[in-house]
Coordinates of all heavy atoms in Angstrom, one line a residue:
V301 N -29.9 52.3 14.2 CA -29.7 53.4 15.1 C -30.9 54.4 14.7 O -31.4 54.9 15.7 CB -28.4 54.1 14.9 CG1 -28.3 55.4 15.6 CG2 -27.2 53.1 15.4
L304 N -33.9 53.4 16.5 CA -33.8 53.7 18.0 C -34.2 55.2 18.2 O -34.9 55.6 19.0 CB -32.4 53.4 18.5 CG -32.1 53.8 19.9 CD1 -33.1 53.2 21.0 CD2 -30.7 53.4 20.3
E305 N -33.5 56.0 17.3 CA -33.7 57.5 17.5 C -35.2 57.8 17.3 O -35.8 58.6 18.1 CB -32.9 58.2 16.4 CG -31.4 58.3 16.8 CD -30.6 59.1 15.8 OE1 -30.7 58.8 14.6 OE2 -29.9 60.1 16.1
E306 N -35.9 57.2 16.4 CA -37.2 57.4 16.1 C -38.1 57.1 17.3 O -39.0 57.8 17.7 CB -37.6 56.7 14.9 CG -39.1 56.4 14.5 CD -39.1 55.0 13.8 OE1 -38.4 54.8 12.8 OE2 -39.8 54.1 14.3
L308 N -37.2 56.8 20.4 CA -36.8 57.7 21.6 C -37.5 59.1 21.3 O -38.1 59.6 22.3 CB -35.3 57.9 21.7 CG -34.5 56.8 22.2 CD1 -33.0 57.1 22.0 CD2 -34.8 56.5 23.7
A309 N -37.5 59.5 20.1 CA -38.1 60.8 19.8 C -39.6 60.8 20.1 O -40.1 61.9 20.7 CB -37.9 61.3 18.4
Q311 N -40.9 59.6 22.6 CA -41.0 59.8 24.0 C -40.2 61.1 24.5 O -39.9 61.2 25.7 CB -40.4 58.5 24.8 CG -41.2 57.2 24.4 CD -40.5 56.0 25.1 OE1 -40.2 56.1 26.3 NE2 -40.4 55.0 24.3
G312 N -39.9 61.9 23.5 CA -39.2 63.2 23.9 C -37.8 63.0 24.3 O -37.2 63.9 25.0
L313 N -37.2 61.8 23.9 CA -35.8 61.7 24.2 C -34.9 61.7 23.0 O -35.4 61.4 21.9 CB -35.7 60.2 24.9 CG -36.4 60.1 26.3 CD1 -36.4 58.6 26.7 CD2 -35.6 60.9 27.3
A314 N -33.6 61.9 23.2 CA -32.7 61.9 22.2 C -31.5 61.0 22.6 O -31.3 60.7 23.8 CB -32.1 63.3 21.8
L315 N -30.6 60.6 21.7 CA -29.5 59.7 22.0 C -28.6 60.4 23.0 O -28.0 59.7 23.9 CB -28.7 59.3 20.7 CG -29.4 58.2 19.9 CD1 -28.6 58.0 18.6 CD2 -29.5 56.9 20.6
K316 N -28.4 61.7 22.9 CA -27.5 62.3 23.9 C -28.0 62.2 25.4 O -27.2 62.5 26.3 CB -27.3 63.8 23.5 CG -28.5 64.6 23.5 CD -28.2 66.1 23.1 CE -29.4 67.0 23.0 NZ -30.4 66.8 24.2
D317 N -29.4 62.0 25.4 CA -29.9 61.9 26.8 C -29.9 60.5 27.5 O -30.2 60.3 28.6 CB -31.5 62.3 26.8 CG -31.7 63.6 26.0 OD1 -30.8 64.5 26.2 OD2 -32.6 63.7 25.2
V318 N -29.5 59.6 26.7 CA -29.6 58.2 27.3 C -28.3 57.4 27.2 O -27.4 57.7 26.5 CB -30.7 57.4 26.4 CG1 -32.1 58.1 26.5 CG2 -30.2 57.2 25.0
T319 N -28.3 56.3 28.1 CA -27.3 55.3 28.0 C -27.9 54.1 27.3 O -29.1 53.7 27.5 CB -26.9 54.8 29.4 OG1 -26.4 55.8 30.1 CG2 -25.9 53.7 29.3
V320 N -27.3 53.7 26.2 CA -27.8 52.6 25.3 C -27.0 51.3 25.7 O -25.7 51.3 25.6 CB -27.7 52.9 23.9 CG1 -28.2 51.8 23.0 CG2 -28.5 54.2 23.6
L345 N -21.6 54.5 15.9 CA -22.6 55.4 15.4 C -23.4 56.0 16.7 O -23.6 57.2 16.8 CB -23.7 54.7 14.6 CG -23.2 54.4 13.2 CD1 -24.3 53.5 12.5 CD2 -23.0 55.6 12.4
L346 N -23.6 55.2 17.7 CA -24.4 55.7 18.9 C -23.5 56.7 19.6 O -23.9 57.7 20.0 CB -24.7 54.6 19.8 CG -25.8 53.5 19.3 CD1 -25.8 52.4 20.3 CD2 -27.1 54.3 19.4
K347 N -22.1 56.4 19.7 CA -21.2 57.3 20.5 C -21.2 58.6 19.6 O -21.1 59.7 20.2 CB -19.9 56.6 20.6 CG -19.9 55.5 21.7 CD -18.5 54.9 21.9 CE -18.6 53.9 23.1 NZ -17.3 53.3 23.2
D348 N -21.0 58.4 18.3 CA -21.0 59.7 17.4 C -22.1 60.6 17.6 O -22.0 61.8 17.6 CB -20.9 59.3 15.9 CG -19.6 58.7 15.5 OD1 -18.7 58.7 16.4 OD2 -19.5 58.1 14.5
R349 N -23.3 59.9 18.0 CA -24.5 60.8 18.2 C -24.8 61.1 19.7 O -25.8 61.5 20.1 CB -25.8 60.0 17.6 CG -25.8 59.9 16.1 CD -26.6 58.8 15.6 NE -26.9 58.9 14.2 CZ -25.9 58.7 13.2 NH1 -24.7 58.4 13.7 NH2 -26.1 58.7 12.0
G350 N -23.7 60.9 20.5 CA -23.7 61.5 21.8 C -24.3 60.6 22.9 O -24.4 60.9 24.0
A351 N -24.6 59.3 22.5 CA -25.2 58.4 23.6 C -24.0 57.8 24.4 O -22.9 57.6 23.9 CB -25.9 57.2 22.8
A352 N -24.3 57.5 25.6 CA -23.4 56.7 26.4 C -23.8 55.2 26.1 O -24.9 54.9 25.8 CB -23.6 57.0 27.9
V353 N -22.7 54.4 26.0 CA -22.9 53.0 25.5 C -22.3 52.0 26.4 O -21.2 52.2 26.9 CB -22.4 52.8 24.0 CG1 -22.6 51.4 23.6 CG2 -22.9 53.9 23.1
E377 N -31.3 53.1 29.4 CA -32.7 53.5 29.0 C -33.1 53.0 27.8 O -34.3 53.0 27.4 CB -32.8 55.2 28.9 CG -32.6 55.9 30.2 CD -31.2 56.0 30.6 OE1 -30.3 56.2 29.9 OE2 -30.9 55.9 31.9
A378 N -32.2 52.4 27.0 CA -32.5 51.8 25.7 C -31.5 50.6 25.5 O -30.4 50.7 26.0 CB -32.4 52.8 24.5

Side-chain angles (χ1 to χ4, degrees):
V301 170
L304 172 58
E305 282 182 305
E306 161 212 308
L308 287 170
Q311 300 180 42
L313 293 169
L315 282 173
K316 63 178 175 48
D317 308 320
V318 298
T319 298
V320 181
L345 290 169
L346 289 171
K347 289 183 174 175
D348 288 350
R349 286 159 172 74
V353 180
E377 289 80 36

